[in-house]
Amino acid sequence: MKYPGGIKKQGSSSINYANRGMNFEADINVTNSYYINNDIAVIYKKPTPITINKVDYKSRVDAVITEAHFNTPSTTDYNGIYKGKYIDFEAKETKQNYFPLSNIHKHQIEHLNKIVRHGGIGFILVNFVKLNKIYLLEAEKLCSFIESNERKSIPIEYFENYGYLIKPKFNPRIDYLNIIDQIYYGGKL
Amino acid sequence: MKYPGGIKKQGSSSINYANRGMNFEADINVTNSYYINNDIAVIYKKPTPITINKVDYKSRVDAVITEAHFNTPSTTDYNGIYKGKYIDFEAKETKQNYFPLSNIHKHQIEHLNKIVRHGGIGFILVNFVKLNKIYLLEAEKLCSFIESNERKSIPIEYFENYGYLIKPKFNPRIDYLNIIDQIYYGGKL
């Protein structure tokens, strides 16, 4: 059986995840495409929020933005629908053995809090690059840590105790909906 | 009682909607802000999808995009959550007494179709500028028109018969969730 890049499958341990940290966003996008193409869920990454200052209309169909600025995001990067439920999450990575809270904007945490209050499913995906581990942490757990702590970072132990480790797979690569199934629908891990 | 712009309220008929067509997107954004600020719903406009080609990093904090292109949207402009339900819609305006289907991308119609299939609420808001009327048309009705017709535009009568007229209000300006309440939760019109 052949896989993209000519890698032969020799068991799941043969997957090279050494560079996965660099491709975290790409892997999530590929995962979301898998969900959409297989009619499992409709979840997209939002475009980068920018303010457009100047546009050069070279022709009727071709406009080029010649000056724009990045905005601070007021929401998270990903949202969509799964099994009738609203899904909302932010994906972050860290090279540390802890998750610095400076990695996530205050607005984004407030946004996730609102989502949960309105009956949606909110979480963060954190890629611990050096540990080669990706955890899903529910927004409720994220918020309760922040409310009950003065700490500026969340230790890995908190993820181990209250989060969910996402097992590496070929396809979908980062199968976070498997965890959502487990939490909300009593599915198998 | 004073209103922004120094307009005195003399009854709801005194609202000047003559230029509303020009401010349709702004009015929807104000409406969404009202919903968020009053903790009614969490619905945002997605940023404009672009491909960034060149970024000038003038300083550590200030990056300027110097070349970017607009992408064709694969989803709709607005999504979020209301009463635990996933909400997804596209807003369009027309100066005609009909809605040209060329105004909405095929991808967007397919997207709305998926949303409905996955248990979400999908619709379009159409502002008939000259008629000074805004209609909400459910994705199901939009799709069934397209499937059963060869026509390249939807006549206003279809909106009158199968859509919902949004009554003008001061705040929220375009109260589309009032219609959603009516359709899905048996609320009053």
Side-chain angles (χ1 to χ4, degrees), chain B residues 172-186:
Chain B
R173 289 189 200 173
I174 301 172
D175 192 7
Y176 59 87
L177 290 182
N178 181 34
I179 306 292
I180 297 303
D181 270 341
Q182 192 201 173
I183 304 173
Y184 293 91
Y185 300 99

Side-chain angles (χ1 to χ4, degrees), chain B residues 27-121:
Chain B
D27 280 356
I28 295 172
N29 291 340
V30 166
T31 300
N32 289 338
S33 294
Y34 176 91
Y35 291 148
I36 289 169
N37 295 337
N38 289 278
D39 209 26
I40 293 165
V42 186
I43 298 165
Y44 282 97
K45 184 179 190 296
K46 288 179 208 164
T48 306
I50 56 160
T51 301
I52 298 168
N53 298 108
K54 287 180 193 165
V55 179
D56 183 3
Y57 293 95
K58 290 192 175 178
S59 71
R60 271 197 194 181
V61 288
D62 189 32
V64 179
I65 299 158
T66 55
E67 191 188 310
H69 292 82
F70 293 102
N71 296 341
T72 305
S74 49
T75 68
T76 49
D77 268 357
Y78 302 88
N79 74 354
I81 186 168
Y82 175 56
K83 292 186 180 174
K85 278 273 195 183
Y86 176 86
I87 300 281
D88 198 300
F89 67 98
E90 185 66 22
K92 294 290 178 189
E93 45 189 6
T94 175
K95 287 175 182 169
Q96 315 303 329
N97 287 356
Y98 51 83
F99 177 66
L101 286 169
S102 57
N103 273 16
I104 189 162
H105 292 282
K106 203 187 163 196
H107 283 132
Q108 296 180 312
I109 295 168
E110 284 166 6
H111 174 77
L112 285 171
N113 210 346
K114 280 181 202 163
I115 293 311
V116 171
R117 216 171 51 236
H118 284 270
I121 296 173

Side-chain angles (χ1 to χ4, degrees), chain A residues 102-154:
Chain A
S102 58
N103 273 16
I104 189 163
H105 292 283
K106 203 187 162 193
H107 282 131
Q108 296 180 313
I109 295 168
E110 285 167 5
H111 174 76
L112 285 171
N113 209 346
K114 280 180 202 163
I115 294 311
V116 171
R117 217 171 51 236
H118 284 270
I121 296 174
F123 55 88
I124 56 169
L125 293 181
V126 179
N127 183 15
F128 291 92
V129 180
K130 286 187 181 168
L131 300 173
N132 202 11
K133 283 181 177 176
I134 297 171
Y135 280 97
L136 182 153
L137 186 69
E138 291 166 278
E140 295 89 328
K141 297 290 194 309
L142 172 67
C143 293
S144 71
F145 181 90
I146 292 165
E147 282 161 22
S148 61
N149 272 278
E150 296 288 310
R151 297 175 72 163
K152 286 178 181 170
S153 65
I154 307 179

Side-chain angles (χ1 to χ4, degrees), chain A residues 31-57:
Chain A
T31 300
N32 288 339
S33 293
Y34 176 92
Y35 292 148
I36 290 169
N37 295 338
N38 289 278
D39 209 26
I40 294 165
V42 185
I43 298 165
Y44 282 97
K45 183 178 190 297
K46 289 178 208 165
T48 307
I50 57 161
T51 301
I52 298 168
N53 298 108
K54 286 180 194 165
V55 179
D56 183 2
Y57 293 95

